[in-house]
Amino acid sequence: MSSVTGSESAINAFVDNIHPSFDYLLSCTAFSACLFTLLVVLFAFSTKESRRRVVFRLNVFAICLTLTLGILTGVSNGKAITDPFNQVSKSVYIATAAFAVIPPLLYDSILLSRLFALYPVSSTPPATLLKIFAFPCCVKCARIVVISLGLSDYVRSGMTTGDLVQDQLATWFRNPKPIAEWSMQVADNFYSVSLFLYNLHVRTSLVNGSTSGIADRIRQIFYISAANFVFPLIFNIAQIISVTTDRSPTTGAVLVLINNYVTVMGVLCATLWFSGTEWVRTHNQPSSEDTFPFNEKLGRVHGTSGKSRDEIIAIGRRSVVPDTTDSDAGPTQDSIQHTTLVQEGNYNLV
């Protein structure tokens, strides 16, 4: 009877020991499969023009980083489950932690890059650019410092993988470095997205009912951008609550992993929507007259080249640049205000 009880205790201890690793492995496997599928769809709907854009390449790079995180998480935690007494090397375990906390800086930078579509470098005064990008750049520098200090302390905390795991268990609860990083991430995203959505709303108000196609498209961009901020914000707040209330790092670590995937998938879905509409437009090849019907209140204004890709829609004394598949058209500016609604050069709103 005592031997049976001892066996049950050993099995329960083993299950409790591998339970966190199983949670990490299950989360990364499910989300990595979804992300890989979205990556395939992204390339399927992409066009030659869209693949040349900086945002497209940044999205692909972000997806590769997140898939690498999934692979490292699978290797380290799979080893912990199948062979708990012979875990992965310290360098692999540290690399997994680094891929979990560093890439969010890149993902947030992709969101910040959308502001260049509203404030093109070629036509925006340097003073204005400094006022707009000074705060997010300073916040990102502070986040880099905090992440570097946290990883440095983590690396020096033990000589083996087991020591790192024990240190993680001991220092997780109310650790000031993760709290500071996630708080600054919330502030960073809130500033970038709020400024982007506000300017997008202002520019949408310039489009009247006769250009409902453009207005509907911008409204969709507005909702997608808002969703890109809301879901990562929820996970950031949940991470802060977890680190301040839960002494076990399991829940917080799962939230960190999921937040990486949710952030990338949000940006990717926005790009997929844009690429899908562009793919349909490229294959159907609609004429500009069908897409932007002429109205007596609107005037067609042509650039010096006289080609349709240089057309703009003049509304009152302001000009609105419609979405085109030709990104070679340079920025258009009237005497009152430069207004860009969908894209500028190599930058996308999404």
Side-chain angles (χ1 to χ4, degrees), residues 60-203:
V60 173
F61 182 60
I63 294 170
C64 293
L65 286 179
T66 311
L67 291 177
T68 303
L69 168 64
I71 294 173
L72 290 174
T73 303
V75 170
S76 58
N77 291 280
K79 187 72 170 177
I81 294 174
T82 57
D83 191 4
F85 298 104
N86 186 22
Q87 298 187 18
V88 295
S89 62
K90 177 183 175 181
S91 58
V92 174
Y93 200 81
I94 293 175
T96 305
F99 271 89
V101 297
I102 295 178
L105 281 170
L106 172 65
Y107 311 152
D108 298 338
S109 299
I110 296 176
L111 296 177
L112 181 65
S113 67
R114 295 182 301 182
L115 291 177
F116 286 108
L118 301 176
Y119 299 97
V121 177
S122 60
S123 59
T124 305
T128 303
L129 290 175
L130 180 62
K131 293 176 183 178
I132 294 172
F133 293 100
F135 176 77
C137 289
C138 291
V139 172
K140 283 179 171 53
C141 290
R143 290 176 61 186
I144 292 175
V145 172
V146 172
I147 292 175
S148 300
L149 292 175
L151 286 177
S152 177
D153 294 341
Y154 187 64
V155 171
R156 294 198 301 265
S157 62
M159 299 299 295
T160 64
T161 302
D163 295 336
L164 295 178
V165 174
Q166 294 301 320
D167 179 77
Q168 181 178 340
L169 295 172
T171 61
W172 163 261
F173 185 62
R174 295 182 179 178
N175 191 321
K177 293 184 178 66
I179 295 175
E181 148 64 9
W182 295 332
S183 300
M184 287 188 291
Q185 186 177 4
V186 170
D188 190 5
N189 290 341
F190 182 78
Y191 174 85
S192 301
V193 176
S194 298
L195 184 61
F196 175 80
L197 294 180
Y198 171 76
N199 281 275
L200 194 63
H201 174 71
V202 170
R203 284 158 170 76

Side-chain angles (χ1 to χ4, degrees), residues 134-342:
F135 176 77
C137 289
C138 291
V139 172
K140 283 179 171 53
C141 290
R143 290 176 61 186
I144 292 175
V145 172
V146 172
I147 292 175
S148 300
L149 292 175
L151 286 177
S152 177
D153 294 341
Y154 187 64
V155 171
R156 294 198 301 265
S157 62
M159 299 299 295
T160 64
T161 302
D163 295 336
L164 295 178
V165 174
Q166 294 301 320
D167 179 77
Q168 181 178 340
L169 295 172
T171 61
W172 163 261
F173 185 62
R174 295 182 179 178
N175 191 321
K177 293 184 178 66
I179 295 175
E181 148 64 9
W182 295 332
S183 300
M184 287 188 291
Q185 186 177 4
V186 170
D188 190 5
N189 290 341
F190 182 78
Y191 174 85
S192 301
V193 176
S194 298
L195 184 61
F196 175 80
L197 294 180
Y198 171 76
N199 281 275
L200 194 63
H201 174 71
V202 170
R203 284 158 170 76
T204 306
S205 64
L206 299 176
V207 182
N208 56 22
S210 59
T211 54
S212 57
I214 299 177
D216 292 340
R217 186 179 179 86
I218 299 172
R219 195 174 297 111
Q220 291 172 349
I221 296 175
F222 183 94
Y223 293 144
I224 291 174
S225 301
N228 287 349
F229 169 68
V230 171
F231 291 108
L233 175 65
I234 294 174
F235 279 97
N236 280 335
I237 295 176
Q239 289 171 189
I240 296 174
I241 295 175
S242 176
V243 75
T244 54
T245 59
D246 190 0
R247 292 185 177 276
S248 174
T250 303
T251 302
V254 170
L255 289 173
V256 171
L257 293 174
I258 295 178
N259 193 22
N260 277 272
Y261 286 96
V262 169
T263 303
V264 175
M265 291 171 68
V267 177
L268 179 58
C269 287
T271 306
L272 277 174
W273 169 81
F274 184 85
S275 298
T277 55
E278 190 174 59
W279 184 87
V280 172
R281 185 170 59 248
T282 301
H283 284 71
N284 293 338
Q285 294 181 349
S287 62
S288 59
E289 294 297 328
D290 294 334
T291 307
F292 304 103
F294 184 84
N295 186 282
E296 60 182 359
K297 295 181 180 179
L298 301 179
R300 292 286 183 183
V301 182
H302 297 265
T304 56
S305 64
K307 297 180 181 179
S308 59
R309 69 182 179 87
D310 295 319
E311 289 184 352
I312 62 174
I313 299 176
I315 304 177
R317 294 183 301 168
R318 302 177 185 271
S319 62
V320 179
V321 181
D323 177 26
T324 64
T325 56
D326 243 325
S327 67
D328 295 332
T332 306
Q333 181 175 3
D334 65 354
S335 58
I336 303 299
Q337 176 182 355
H338 179 93
T339 306
T340 306
L341 288 181
V342 179

